[in-house]
Short mmCIF file of all heavy atoms in Angstrom, two decimals:
data_model
loop_
_atom_site.label_atom_id
_atom_site.label_comp_id
_atom_site.label_asym_id
_atom_site.label_seq_id
_atom_site.Cartn_x
_atom_site.Cartn_y
_atom_site.Cartn_z
N LYS A 263 112.35 95.47 107.17
CA LYS A 263 111.27 95.31 106.18
C LYS A 263 110.81 96.65 105.65
O LYS A 263 110.47 96.77 104.47
CB LYS A 263 110.14 94.52 106.82
CG LYS A 263 110.58 93.10 107.18
CD LYS A 263 109.61 92.36 108.09
CE LYS A 263 110.20 91.01 108.48
NZ LYS A 263 109.33 90.24 109.39
N LEU A 264 110.81 97.68 106.51
CA LEU A 264 110.45 99.01 106.05
C LEU A 264 111.48 99.53 105.04
O LEU A 264 111.11 100.18 104.05
CB LEU A 264 110.33 99.96 107.24
CG LEU A 264 109.88 101.39 106.90
CD1 LEU A 264 108.47 101.39 106.32
CD2 LEU A 264 109.94 102.29 108.14
N TYR A 265 112.76 99.25 105.29
CA TYR A 265 113.81 99.69 104.36
C TYR A 265 113.62 99.02 102.99
O TYR A 265 113.72 99.65 101.94
CB TYR A 265 115.19 99.36 104.92
CG TYR A 265 116.29 100.28 104.44
CD1 TYR A 265 117.45 100.46 105.19
CD2 TYR A 265 116.21 100.96 103.23
CE1 TYR A 265 118.48 101.30 104.76
CE2 TYR A 265 117.23 101.80 102.79
CZ TYR A 265 118.36 101.97 103.56
OH TYR A 265 119.35 102.79 103.13
N ALA A 266 113.33 97.71 103.01
CA ALA A 266 113.09 96.99 101.76
C ALA A 266 111.91 97.60 101.01
O ALA A 266 111.94 97.78 99.79
CB ALA A 266 112.84 95.51 102.04
N ALA A 267 110.86 97.93 101.75
CA ALA A 267 109.69 98.55 101.13
C ALA A 267 110.05 99.91 100.54
O ALA A 267 109.70 100.22 99.40
CB ALA A 267 108.56 98.70 102.15
N TYR A 268 110.78 100.71 101.31
CA TYR A 268 111.17 102.05 100.84
C TYR A 268 111.96 101.97 99.54
O TYR A 268 111.70 102.72 98.59
CB TYR A 268 112.00 102.75 101.92
CG TYR A 268 112.69 104.00 101.44
CD1 TYR A 268 111.99 105.19 101.28
CD2 TYR A 268 114.05 103.98 101.11
CE1 TYR A 268 112.63 106.34 100.80
CE2 TYR A 268 114.69 105.12 100.64
CZ TYR A 268 113.97 106.29 100.49
OH TYR A 268 114.60 107.41 100.01
N LEU A 269 112.93 101.07 99.48
CA LEU A 269 113.78 100.97 98.29
C LEU A 269 112.97 100.65 97.04
O LEU A 269 113.32 101.07 95.94
CB LEU A 269 114.85 99.89 98.50
CG LEU A 269 115.94 100.22 99.54
CD1 LEU A 269 116.86 99.01 99.74
CD2 LEU A 269 116.74 101.44 99.13
N SER A 270 111.87 99.92 97.21
CA SER A 270 111.07 99.54 96.04
C SER A 270 110.37 100.74 95.40
O SER A 270 109.86 100.63 94.28
CB SER A 270 110.04 98.48 96.43
OG SER A 270 109.00 99.02 97.22
N TYR A 271 110.36 101.89 96.08
CA TYR A 271 109.70 103.10 95.54
C TYR A 271 110.71 104.10 94.96
O TYR A 271 110.31 105.17 94.51
CB TYR A 271 108.88 103.78 96.64
CG TYR A 271 107.68 102.97 97.08
CD1 TYR A 271 107.79 102.07 98.14
CD2 TYR A 271 106.46 103.09 96.43
CE1 TYR A 271 106.70 101.30 98.54
CE2 TYR A 271 105.36 102.34 96.82
CZ TYR A 271 105.50 101.44 97.87
OH TYR A 271 104.42 100.67 98.26
N LEU A 272 112.00 103.78 94.97
CA LEU A 272 112.99 104.73 94.48
C LEU A 272 112.79 105.02 92.99
O LEU A 272 112.61 104.09 92.19
CB LEU A 272 114.40 104.19 94.68
CG LEU A 272 114.98 104.20 96.09
CD1 LEU A 272 116.38 103.62 96.08
CD2 LEU A 272 114.99 105.60 96.68
N PRO A 273 112.84 106.29 92.60
CA PRO A 273 112.81 106.62 91.17
C PRO A 273 114.14 106.26 90.52
O PRO A 273 115.15 106.07 91.21
CB PRO A 273 112.59 108.14 91.17
CG PRO A 273 113.19 108.59 92.46
CD PRO A 273 112.94 107.49 93.45
N LYS A 274 114.15 106.19 89.20
CA LYS A 274 115.35 105.76 88.48
C LYS A 274 116.57 106.60 88.82
O LYS A 274 117.68 106.08 88.98
CB LYS A 274 115.10 105.80 86.97
CG LYS A 274 116.28 105.34 86.14
CD LYS A 274 115.99 105.41 84.66
CE LYS A 274 117.21 104.99 83.83
NZ LYS A 274 116.94 105.05 82.38
N ASP A 275 116.38 107.91 88.98
CA ASP A 275 117.54 108.78 89.19
C ASP A 275 118.13 108.65 90.59
O ASP A 275 119.17 109.26 90.89
CB ASP A 275 117.18 110.24 88.90
CG ASP A 275 116.11 110.79 89.82
OD1 ASP A 275 115.52 110.01 90.61
OD2 ASP A 275 115.84 112.00 89.76
N LYS A 276 117.51 107.83 91.46
CA LYS A 276 118.06 107.62 92.80
C LYS A 276 118.56 106.20 93.02
O LYS A 276 119.10 105.89 94.07
CB LYS A 276 117.02 107.97 93.87
CG LYS A 276 116.78 109.46 94.01
CD LYS A 276 115.97 109.76 95.25
CE LYS A 276 115.80 111.25 95.45
NZ LYS A 276 115.04 111.56 96.69
N ILE A 277 118.33 105.34 92.04
CA ILE A 277 118.80 103.96 92.19
C ILE A 277 120.32 103.93 92.20
O ILE A 277 120.95 103.16 92.93
CB ILE A 277 118.23 103.08 91.07
CG1 ILE A 277 116.69 102.98 91.21
CG2 ILE A 277 118.85 101.68 91.10
CD1 ILE A 277 116.02 102.23 90.09
N SER A 278 120.92 104.80 91.41
CA SER A 278 122.38 104.96 91.41
C SER A 278 122.71 106.31 92.01
O SER A 278 122.02 107.30 91.75
CB SER A 278 122.91 104.88 89.97
OG SER A 278 124.27 105.22 89.91
N PHE A 279 123.77 106.37 92.85
CA PHE A 279 124.17 107.66 93.42
C PHE A 279 125.69 107.74 93.47
O PHE A 279 126.39 106.73 93.60
CB PHE A 279 123.56 107.86 94.82
CG PHE A 279 123.92 106.81 95.84
CD1 PHE A 279 125.02 106.98 96.67
CD2 PHE A 279 123.15 105.66 95.97
CE1 PHE A 279 125.35 106.03 97.61
CE2 PHE A 279 123.47 104.70 96.92
CZ PHE A 279 124.57 104.88 97.73
N PRO A 280 126.23 108.94 93.35
CA PRO A 280 127.68 109.12 93.28
C PRO A 280 128.35 108.97 94.64
O PRO A 280 127.75 109.21 95.69
CB PRO A 280 127.84 110.55 92.74
CG PRO A 280 126.61 111.24 93.24
CD PRO A 280 125.51 110.22 93.20
N LEU A 281 129.61 108.56 94.60
CA LEU A 281 130.45 108.50 95.78
C LEU A 281 131.63 109.44 95.60
O LEU A 281 132.04 109.73 94.48
CB LEU A 281 130.94 107.08 96.02
CG LEU A 281 129.85 106.03 96.30
CD1 LEU A 281 130.44 104.63 96.24
CD2 LEU A 281 129.21 106.28 97.66
N THR A 282 132.18 109.92 96.70
CA THR A 282 133.29 110.87 96.64
C THR A 282 134.62 110.14 96.56
O THR A 282 135.00 109.43 97.51
CB THR A 282 133.28 111.80 97.87
OG1 THR A 282 132.04 112.51 97.91
CG2 THR A 282 134.42 112.79 97.80
N MET A 283 135.30 110.28 95.42
CA MET A 283 136.63 109.68 95.26
C MET A 283 137.69 110.71 95.65
O MET A 283 137.78 111.79 95.05
CB MET A 283 136.84 109.24 93.80
CG MET A 283 135.91 108.14 93.35
SD MET A 283 136.23 107.62 91.63
CE MET A 283 137.86 106.88 91.79
N ASN A 284 138.46 110.41 96.68
CA ASN A 284 139.57 111.26 97.08
C ASN A 284 140.80 110.82 96.28
O ASN A 284 141.38 109.77 96.55
CB ASN A 284 139.81 111.12 98.58
CG ASN A 284 138.59 111.52 99.39
OD1 ASN A 284 138.24 112.69 99.45
ND2 ASN A 284 137.92 110.54 99.99
N GLN A 285 141.18 111.62 95.28
CA GLN A 285 142.20 111.22 94.32
C GLN A 285 143.47 112.06 94.44
O GLN A 285 143.43 113.25 94.76
CB GLN A 285 141.65 111.34 92.90
CG GLN A 285 140.47 110.42 92.62
CD GLN A 285 139.89 110.64 91.23
OE1 GLN A 285 139.29 111.69 90.97
NE2 GLN A 285 140.04 109.66 90.36
N ASP A 286 144.62 111.42 94.18
CA ASP A 286 145.89 112.12 94.02
C ASP A 286 146.76 111.29 93.09
O ASP A 286 146.27 110.33 92.46
CB ASP A 286 146.57 112.37 95.37
CG ASP A 286 146.82 111.09 96.17
OD1 ASP A 286 146.95 110.02 95.54
OD2 ASP A 286 146.89 111.16 97.40
N ASP A 287 148.02 111.61 93.00
CA ASP A 287 148.91 110.91 92.06
C ASP A 287 149.10 109.44 92.43
O ASP A 287 149.53 108.63 91.59
CB ASP A 287 150.28 111.60 92.01
CG ASP A 287 150.19 112.99 91.38
OD1 ASP A 287 149.21 113.25 90.66
OD2 ASP A 287 151.11 113.81 91.62
N ARG A 288 148.84 109.09 93.68
CA ARG A 288 149.04 107.70 94.12
C ARG A 288 147.87 106.79 93.76
O ARG A 288 148.00 105.57 93.75
CB ARG A 288 149.25 107.67 95.63
CG ARG A 288 150.42 108.50 96.13
CD ARG A 288 150.45 108.49 97.64
NE ARG A 288 149.20 109.00 98.20
CZ ARG A 288 148.75 108.74 99.42
NH1 ARG A 288 149.47 107.96 100.23
NH2 ARG A 288 147.62 109.25 99.85
N GLY A 289 146.68 107.41 93.50
CA GLY A 289 145.48 106.61 93.23
C GLY A 289 144.27 107.28 93.83
O GLY A 289 144.10 108.50 93.74
N SER A 290 143.43 106.51 94.51
CA SER A 290 142.22 107.08 95.10
C SER A 290 141.78 106.28 96.32
O SER A 290 142.20 105.14 96.52
CB SER A 290 141.07 107.11 94.07
OG SER A 290 140.68 105.79 93.74
N PHE A 291 140.94 106.95 97.12
CA PHE A 291 140.34 106.30 98.29
C PHE A 291 138.89 106.76 98.36
O PHE A 291 138.61 107.96 98.33
CB PHE A 291 141.08 106.69 99.58
CG PHE A 291 140.52 106.07 100.82
CD1 PHE A 291 140.85 104.77 101.18
CD2 PHE A 291 139.65 106.78 101.63
CE1 PHE A 291 140.32 104.20 102.33
CE2 PHE A 291 139.11 106.22 102.77
CZ PHE A 291 139.45 104.92 103.13
N THR A 292 137.96 105.80 98.43
CA THR A 292 136.53 106.12 98.38
C THR A 292 135.79 105.39 99.49
O THR A 292 135.85 104.15 99.59
CB THR A 292 135.92 105.71 97.03
OG1 THR A 292 136.67 106.29 95.96
CG2 THR A 292 134.46 106.14 96.94
N GLU A 293 135.12 106.15 100.34
CA GLU A 293 134.26 105.54 101.36
C GLU A 293 133.00 105.00 100.69
O GLU A 293 132.35 105.69 99.91
CB GLU A 293 133.88 106.56 102.42
CG GLU A 293 135.08 107.07 103.23
CD GLU A 293 134.69 108.13 104.25
OE1 GLU A 293 133.73 108.89 103.95
OE2 GLU A 293 135.31 108.20 105.32
#
Side-chain angles (χ1 to χ4, degrees):
K263 296 167 185 179
L264 183 63
Y265 207 155
Y268 168 77
L269 291 175
S270 72
Y271 292 91
L272 285 180
K274 181 180 178 180
D275 63 352
K276 287 191 176 182
I277 295 175
S278 172
F279 59 93
L281 297 169
T282 301
M283 296 181 67
N284 300 290
Q285 297 176 291
D286 57 27
D287 292 339
R288 302 175 302 158
S290 66
F291 180 82
T292 307
E293 296 178 327

